[in-house]
Amino acid sequence: MPGELQDGAPAPRAVVGIIYPPPEVRNIVDKTANFVARNGPEFESRIRQNEINNAKFNFLTPGDAYHAYYLHKVKECREGRGGPEPTIASTPRSSIPAASTTKQVQSSLLTESSVPKEAPPEFEYMANPPSIAAQDLDIVRLTAQFVARNGRQFLTKLAGKEQFNYQFDFLRPQHSLFPYFTKLVEQYTKVLLAPKDVTEALRGEVANKNAVLNKISHRVEWTKFQQRQQQQRDEELDRERAAFAAIDWHDFVVVETIVFNEDEKGDLPPPVTPQQIGSRVLAEQRHKIMQEKGMDEVELDTSGDVPMDEEDEQANARAAEEREETAMDMD
């Protein structure tokens, strides 16, 4: 296999034919190789069996890209060139059961894996397409390509030419597809007329493929971290719902009963009478009339907290009686 070396051969810094994993994965590979070198192949078999569904330990599979690097590190550790050993392996093997050792190693490897501190940059060339017909989507994309290639003048001429064509309604700013169309124009412009800094960054990534792998690994770890955080929040909400559902709302105790007597006077505001409501309506009407005539604005207190004057109440009562008499005469 490409990861196996000749016995006694010196280990160079970079071995030809070995793919070096990113730092996050390399940390787990190195520690696992150290434990396997000390505890034997049976320890590797137990880890492979217990973590069969864990992607962090795929390097134990012979077909994995990092398996050769893992074998290389195991050989280095057996020859005493594997670096400092973890503290958990310093305990004598006979004093720790095999099962507990495996669990401690797995928990140590998983907890020591680095958690991403910063979110990866957003995807610049990704836009979720709307739920429209395939033909309409092709029209939007093709139009965005031509606008990105020919400039805004082409967009202005096309909008004027196809203003009565319903298939080009997305060119109007108030249309629901206009933000998606604008996003496509920006992306196609960056591809067709790429700025100098973007071109240099792409050339640098082509020359340094490890940097691309590190970015991918960072994004994967960030996505997993976000999923774990979301899972913890969901579990907390589930626990709260379960605790809320476990409450017996019919099992309660009366602590105190408050009785309001009819003759009792409290600090509560008095109820509003129909006359007060009518006076407020009339006051609002007078205020509107005064504003229409251009008179000075008069502050009117219609909050209802201050009782009305007796003259206003009598005037309102007389107006109500007059309306009632007028209605009876008309009948």
Side-chain angles (χ1 to χ4, degrees):
M1 296 180 63
E4 297 179 353
L5 301 177
Q6 298 293 332
D7 295 337
R13 286 190 175 182
V15 182
V16 178
I18 292 180
I19 300 176
Y20 284 77
E24 296 82 3
V25 182
R26 189 182 305 173
N27 185 25
I28 300 177
V29 175
D30 294 347
K31 292 182 179 297
T32 306
N34 201 324
F35 287 120
V36 171
R38 291 182 57 84
N39 300 298
E42 297 83 4
F43 186 80
E44 176 184 347
S45 301
R46 286 196 298 270
I47 293 180
R48 186 187 295 109
Q49 183 178 1
N50 294 335
E51 301 294 339
I52 189 172
N53 295 324
N54 193 342
K56 293 181 178 293
F57 292 90
N58 285 344
F59 59 87
L60 297 175
T61 306
D64 190 76
Y66 303 138
H67 185 69
Y69 174 79
Y70 162 71
L71 295 178
H72 174 66
K73 293 301 295 183
V74 171
K75 184 175 180 60
E76 281 189 348
C77 293
R78 287 175 180 173
E79 295 175 354
R81 295 181 285 110
E85 300 176 357
T87 57
I88 188 174
S90 60
T91 307
R93 183 179 178 184
S94 58
S95 62
I96 302 178
S100 62
T101 305
T102 306
K103 292 181 180 179
Q104 291 179 9
V105 171
Q106 293 168 2
S107 61
S108 175
L109 294 175
L110 293 176
T111 54
E112 291 182 3
S113 60
S114 60
V115 177
K117 299 180 181 179
E118 297 180 358
E122 297 292 337
F123 290 111
E124 296 184 8
Y125 305 100
M126 178 179 293
N128 296 325
S131 300
I132 58 177
Q135 181 179 0
D136 296 335
L137 186 60
D138 291 340
I139 293 175
V140 175
R141 290 175 175 175
L142 190 60
T143 306
Q145 292 179 17
F146 275 89
V147 172
R149 186 66 182 87
N150 300 309
R152 293 292 176 177
Q153 295 181 356
F154 176 81
L155 176 62
T156 304
K157 295 179 180 179
L158 181 64
K161 181 180 179 181
E162 303 293 342
Q163 59 179 343
F164 298 108
N165 191 346
Y166 70 94
Q167 291 183 328
F168 289 90
D169 287 344
F170 60 87
L171 298 177
R172 301 176 182 177
Q174 63 272 16
H175 197 270
S176 60
L177 295 179
F178 184 77
Y180 175 70
F181 168 74
T182 306
K183 185 69 174 179
L184 289 180
V185 172
E186 295 176 357
Q187 294 176 356
Y188 287 135
T189 303
K190 291 180 181 179
V191 173
L192 298 175
L193 305 173
K196 185 177 180 181
D197 55 347
V198 176
T199 306
E200 294 178 354
L202 292 176
R203 290 177 179 174
E205 292 180 353
V206 171
N208 187 7
K209 297 182 179 180
N210 290 331
V212 180
L213 292 176
N214 292 336
K215 289 182 179 180
I216 296 174
S217 177
H218 176 68
R219 187 175 296 276
V220 171
E221 293 296 332
W222 175 260
T223 303
K224 293 181 179 179
F225 175 71
Q226 293 295 322
Q227 291 176 355
R228 291 196 298 268
Q229 294 292 328
Q230 183 63 33
Q231 184 178 1
Q232 292 178 0
R233 289 191 291 266
D234 295 341
E235 291 177 355
E236 185 177 357
L237 291 176
D238 292 339
R239 287 193 296 268
E240 291 181 358
R241 294 192 189 99
F244 188 81
I247 299 175
D248 187 3
W249 298 103
H250 299 284
D251 184 12
F252 59 90
V253 178
V254 178
V255 179
E256 185 180 359
T257 303
I258 301 176
V259 180
F260 293 95
N261 299 323
E262 295 181 358
D263 55 348
E264 183 179 358
K265 295 182 179 179
D267 296 334
L268 299 176
V272 181
T273 61
Q275 289 79 9
Q276 291 178 345
I277 296 176
S279 63
R280 294 178 184 179
V281 174
L282 294 176
E284 291 178 359
Q285 292 178 356
R286 289 198 298 268
H287 183 65
K288 291 180 180 179
I289 294 173
M290 293 171 64
Q291 286 183 345
E292 292 176 357
K293 292 182 179 180
M295 298 178 63
D296 295 336
E297 183 177 0
V298 180
E299 295 181 359
L300 299 175
D301 187 7
T302 60
S303 60
D305 296 336
V306 181
M308 299 176 57
D309 297 336
E310 294 182 358
E311 296 179 359
D312 294 339
E313 293 181 354
Q314 293 177 2
N316 293 333
R318 287 195 298 269
E321 292 177 358
E322 291 176 0
R323 287 196 297 270
E324 292 178 356
E325 291 176 359
T326 304
M328 293 175 63
D329 295 337
M330 292 176 63
D331 294 335

